[in-house]
Amino acid sequence: KAGVTQTPRYLIKTRGQQVTLSCSPISGHRSVSWYQQTPGQGLQFLFEYFSETQRNKGNFPGRFSGRQFSNSRSEMNVSTLELGDSALYLCASSLEDGRRDTQYFGPGTRLTVL
Amino acid sequence: AQKVTQAQTEISVVEKEDVTLDCVYETRDTTYYLFWYKQPPSGELVFLIRRNSFDEQNEISGRYSWNFQKSTSSFNFTITASQVVDSAVYFCALSEGGRDSNYQLIWGAGTKLIIKP
């Protein structure tokens, strides 16, 4: 079974631009979570989607948004990029419930904001 | 509030030594789940183990073993006869299973493990 895939793997943007990251979960998984990882803040939860609905959101500004499609694929968008948004963005999928079901992670998208 | 503490920022050992990574957690839920993940330099988080709060049985998988103790709120990870390929950052994580809990993993800061040949 194919794992979680994320595209693109690397991205370089400038301040003020916007970016969209994509995540395809493991086949049969309906829950998708997004995390931001930085050296200073570690791993931080962004949001979780299930059945096209956002079930929970972390403590991030409104510039960070996401959505999930009917095939469980998910995208996250960051608008008006800031230097501090440079990070590794990780997507994870789980069967139905990210609390009790194991979350499997993709390789991440490394975003650099100049 | 929920919290995961990995007090060891970095550990360096010589190959074939045993090493234990500590994880202490805080939660008020009676139902919760604990995880260990490995992050090699490539960046991808690799799942190692999941434990639920009702199962305190220790687990061994090859050279890896985990010691879950509710009395001390700890979920420690031991690598026996370490190998250079074990070099990575290891994360301990917690999720709460209560009805009002969030759908997220709470992460420790990670322990960077360096295995020298």
Side-chain angles (χ1 to χ4, degrees), chain A residues 4 9-10 33 35 37 42-45 48 55-58 88 90 96-108 110, chain B residues 32-33 35 37 39 41-47 49-50 89 91 95-109:
Chain A
V4 178
R9 292 292 311 278
Y10 302 91
S33 299
Y35 296 86
Q37 185 178 27
L43 280 153
Q44 292 186 288
F45 172 76
E48 190 260 2
R55 284 197 292 202
N56 192 31
K57 190 178 194 305
L88 179 65
L90 292 159
E96 292 197 350
D97 187 335
R99 294 170 297 181
R100 65 164 189 270
D101 302 324
T102 298
Q103 294 188 29
Y104 294 92
F105 285 80
R110 191 165 295 278
Chain B
Y32 54 89
Y33 304 86
F35 302 82
Y37 284 86
Q39 189 175 43
S42 61
E44 183 170 345
L45 281 163
V46 178
F47 165 73
I49 190 170
R50 181 187 73 172
V89 180
F91 291 94
S95 69
E96 295 176 324
R99 177 178 294 195
D100 297 327
S101 69
N102 296 324
Y103 287 84
Q104 63 172 295
L105 289 173
I106 307 300
W107 297 88

Side-chain angles (χ1 to χ4, degrees), chain B residues 2-117:
Chain B
Q2 61 272 41
K3 186 179 176 182
V4 176
T5 302
Q6 293 180 257
Q8 303 150 310
T9 305
E10 183 173 303
I11 299 175
S12 181
V13 300
V14 176
E15 202 173 18
K16 294 194 176 72
E17 283 186 23
D18 298 348
V19 58
T20 295
L21 310 182
D22 298 332
C23 173
V24 175
Y25 62 92
E26 293 176 32
T27 177
R28 280 182 278 189
D29 268 12
T30 55
T31 301
Y32 54 89
Y33 304 86
L34 295 163
F35 302 82
W36 275 95
Y37 284 86
K38 172 182 179 179
Q39 189 175 43
S42 61
E44 183 170 345
L45 281 163
V46 178
F47 165 73
L48 295 176
I49 190 170
R50 181 187 73 172
R51 260 288 175 263
N52 73 54
S53 53
F54 300 109
D55 183 3
E56 280 193 79
Q57 197 168 14
N58 292 330
E59 177 144 345
I60 299 174
S61 176
R63 296 183 297 106
Y64 296 171
S65 62
W66 291 268
N67 185 327
F68 176 28
Q69 292 200 340
K70 287 176 74 170
S71 61
T72 55
S73 296
S74 65
F75 186 42
N76 296 336
F77 172 31
T78 297
I79 302 175
T80 304
S82 60
Q83 299 176 2
V84 172
V85 293
D86 295 327
S87 297
V89 180
Y90 290 85
F91 291 94
C92 180
L94 161 75
S95 69
E96 295 176 324
R99 177 178 294 195
D100 297 327
S101 69
N102 296 324
Y103 287 84
Q104 63 172 295
L105 289 173
I106 307 300
W107 297 88
T111 297
K112 183 176 183 179
L113 178 62
I114 301 168
I115 310 295
K116 299 177 189 174

Side-chain angles (χ1 to χ4, degrees), chain A residues 31-49:
Chain A
S31 169
V32 173
S33 299
W34 288 90
Y35 296 86
Q36 181 197 64
Q37 185 178 27
T38 59
Q41 299 297 317
L43 280 153
Q44 292 186 288
F45 172 76
L46 280 157
F47 23 66
E48 190 260 2
Y49 286 89

